[in-house]
Amino acid sequence: MLKGKRILLGITGSIAAYKTPDIARRLIEQGASIQTVITEAGSKFIPPYTLEAVTGTTAHRDLFEDPFSHLELAKTSDLFLIAPATANTINKLSCGIADNLLSTLMLSFEGPVLVAPAMNCRMYRNPVVQKSIKKIEKRGVIFVGPEKGTLACGDEGEGRMSETAVLVESVVHTLAEKDLKGKKVIVTAGPTRESIDVARYISNRSSGKMGYAIALAATRRGAEVTLITGPSSERPPQRVELHPVETAGEMEKAVLTRLKKADALIMAAAVSDISPARPEQGKLDKKVILDLKLKKTADILKKAGERKGEAVLVGFAAESGMDIRSAKEKLKNKNLDLIVLNDISKKDSGFDVDTNEISIIDRKGNLSEYPLMQKIEAADIILDRLFNRQP
Ligand code: CTP
């Protein structure tokens, strides 16, 4: 996701600096190259040697190490992330003080800047710090966190640096091309749960991973995303409007009430086709459970296809084996623009894995087959095809 991107990573004097090598590693894993710049106080918490071992480049410390490093590093970076950022550094940045390499770079850097504050909650609440943050934000700098929680000193409150995954995602999000800006996209994900009685339900093996990946990819690309999700243990992407549901009926209502305002509906959810005709309030005796009466749930996608207006619709066909003919029929019956097939009988392209091997059929009946890839990559292909972008 960050292939070819050059990130300047600034570290200041907070205990959270022990997490910075991990941030650097995760960014490198995404394809970025990293240059680090560390303040003197920062180097008390994390040895520059550690950063150098992780990034394979010099950890820059000294404003006078080279006459132009305060300009060169700024000119050759795509994004500046300061993590952790102390109250002292934030206050300095707010009024443009340039008394070390990091703060001088901040003045000469013209690209996107992300700041991840980390400090004691009382320091964070201090009006001087709050005023500095607002002033810096007005200049377009993006603050990520801090989070609430237990702080290094034992106090509870707002001041913890955001988690590495959150910071890395913020970098990816900031640098992603916003080619879907202005698009409103509804994504459904996960299974539904149809209650039998107070203890039991009918559901399926869907983990929600594919739908969550589509929601994440669309958000990164600037779309306004509503994620309507059945029960899932996946971490919801930041910046989506999250709408958790349990049953097919709840999902139907959530989708159909939002469809009018949407540009696209992507039904990645594995909606249960059946539900008990009459859920019990108490617990059913096992002797009567075999007589359980079932009914069909509404086909949400079919209903959406009947009233889609200008919206484009994507359905999924989870097959055991690739049944192209039946997928084409589904596309026609449900009035879809695309149908995505995946063979759930394969170990690495079914439920609860991070990879998928998809095929896509469009309205004209054209079939495109794709190799096994990460679900996040498959998500981008589906979005490219849906909005006629070149994959
Ligand atoms: N779907 C839906 N409402 C349902 C069932 C399914 O909206 N009650 C959607 C799913 O989200 C998916 C597509 O329809 O996008 C799947 O269609 P379906 O006919 O259920 O096909 P399969 O899941 O492949 O299963 P089968 O053909 O075995 O029924």
Side-chain angles (χ1 to χ4, degrees):
M1 296 297 161
L2 293 173
K3 210 164 170 198
K5 299 293 180 192
R6 295 157 306 179
I7 315 279
L8 184 55
L9 182 55
I11 303 112
T12 69
S14 153
I15 182 65
Y18 81 89
K19 295 182 185 167
T20 310
D22 192 42
I23 299 172
R25 273 194 58 189
R26 304 292 158 216
L27 291 169
I28 292 166
E29 271 170 19
Q30 298 276 334
S33 58
I34 309 287
Q35 290 282 352
T36 54
V37 51
I38 185 161
T39 61
E40 200 188 323
S43 65
K44 304 261 187 242
F45 290 92
I46 187 83
Y49 194 66
T50 307
L51 294 166
E52 289 176 352
V54 169
T55 62
T57 56
T58 310
H60 302 279
R61 278 175 278 176
D62 182 3
L63 185 54
F64 301 102
E65 71 184 9
D66 172 293
F68 298 114
S69 55
H70 65 293
L71 304 176
E72 275 312 309
L73 286 169
K75 268 196 252 172
T76 54
S77 300
D78 297 301
L79 182 142
F80 193 178
L81 166 66
I82 306 178
T86 57
N88 182 41
T89 291
I90 289 171
N91 288 333
K92 282 202 279 188
L93 299 183
S94 82
C95 46
I97 291 174
D99 63 347
N100 60 26
L101 183 57
L102 188 147
S103 54
T104 311
L105 276 164
M106 180 72 179
L107 284 187
S108 64
F109 184 68
E110 292 182 315
V113 180
L114 301 185
V115 175
M119 65 197 75
N120 176 270
C121 50
R122 274 168 284 152
M123 291 170 78
Y124 181 65
R125 278 200 302 267
N126 187 294
V128 176
V129 175
Q130 287 301 315
K131 206 167 155 196
S132 295
I133 291 174
K134 287 201 180 75
K135 208 164 136 193
I136 301 170
E137 268 178 335
K138 273 199 191 130
R139 301 202 296 252
V141 168
I142 300 160
F143 278 78
V144 186
E147 310 295 332
K148 273 194 181 138
T150 309
L151 306 173
C153 57
D155 283 353
E156 290 280 336
E158 214 171 351
R160 276 174 72 91
M161 185 166 79
S162 292
E163 292 301 321
T164 300
V166 173
L167 292 173
V168 171
E169 179 51 33
S170 295
V171 170
V172 174
H173 182 89
T174 305
L175 290 174
E177 195 197 333
K178 300 289 177 276
D179 64 333
L180 300 185
K181 196 165 186 298
K183 300 281 183 205
K184 292 190 169 61
V185 178
I186 304 172
V187 182
T188 67
T192 63
R193 246 180 218 177
E194 314 300 323
S195 175
I196 296 174
D197 60 23
V198 69
R200 309 176 179 101
Y201 55 78
I202 299 172
S203 192
N204 57 64
R205 289 181 194 278
S206 170
S207 60
K209 281 181 189 287
M210 192 64 234
Y212 278 55
I214 295 169
L216 177 61
T219 311
R220 283 178 179 168
R221 291 168 68 164
E224 242 175 80
V225 178
T226 304
L227 175 60
I228 300 170
T229 175
S232 166
S233 55
E234 290 297 296
R235 182 200 275 245
Q238 300 160 60
R239 303 174 191 88
V240 301
E241 189 198 317
L242 190 69
H243 193 86
V245 295
E246 187 150 313
T247 64
E250 287 168 11
M251 188 171 278
E252 177 191 357
K253 198 164 153 221
V255 168
L256 297 182
T257 52
R258 285 167 177 80
L259 186 61
K260 231 184 188 165
K261 290 193 183 146
D263 295 295
L265 166 65
I266 305 175
M267 282 289 301
V271 186
S272 175
D273 292 315
I274 45 165
S275 88
R278 209 165 42 86
E280 282 297 317
Q281 296 300 326
K283 190 171 173 223
L284 274 180
D285 192 293
K286 58 176 167 292
K287 287 186 207 115
V288 296
I289 204 119
L290 290 176
D291 301 324
L292 190 68
K293 294 264 179 303
L294 299 172
K295 64 174 185 195
K296 271 187 76 72
T297 58
D299 190 325
I300 305 169
L301 198 48
K302 193 160 191 318
K303 284 195 171 179
E306 286 158 6
R307 57 181 88 169
K308 65 193 253 188
E310 296 297 303
V312 282
L313 258 52
V314 182
F316 276 72
E319 311 279 353
S320 44
M322 289 287 197
D323 189 345
I324 311 278
R325 201 175 54 85
S326 123
K328 280 187 178 172
E329 260 167 38
K330 269 178 211 168
L331 179 124
K332 211 167 149 215
N333 287 342
K334 301 193 190 199
N335 193 17
L336 308 179
D337 296 273
L338 293 179
I339 191 153
V340 181
L341 286 86
N342 66 306
D343 185 348
I344 54 168
S345 63
K346 285 193 179 166
K347 223 173 93 204
D348 44 11
S349 76
F351 290 135
D352 214 12
V353 287
D354 290 322
T355 49
N356 206 351
E357 192 178 326
I358 58 165
S359 298
I360 297 179
I361 304 175
D362 66 16
R363 274 183 93 82
K364 291 183 189 147
N366 298 317
L367 169 77
S368 316
E369 293 173 293
Y370 299 91
L372 186 72
M373 60 180 80
Q374 294 294 315
K375 281 187 172 164
I376 190 73
E377 294 172 295
D380 268 323
I381 288 178
I382 294 165
L383 292 168
D384 285 337
R385 293 291 307 269
L386 186 59
F387 292 108
N388 295 320
R389 306 291 198 274
Q390 282 308 311

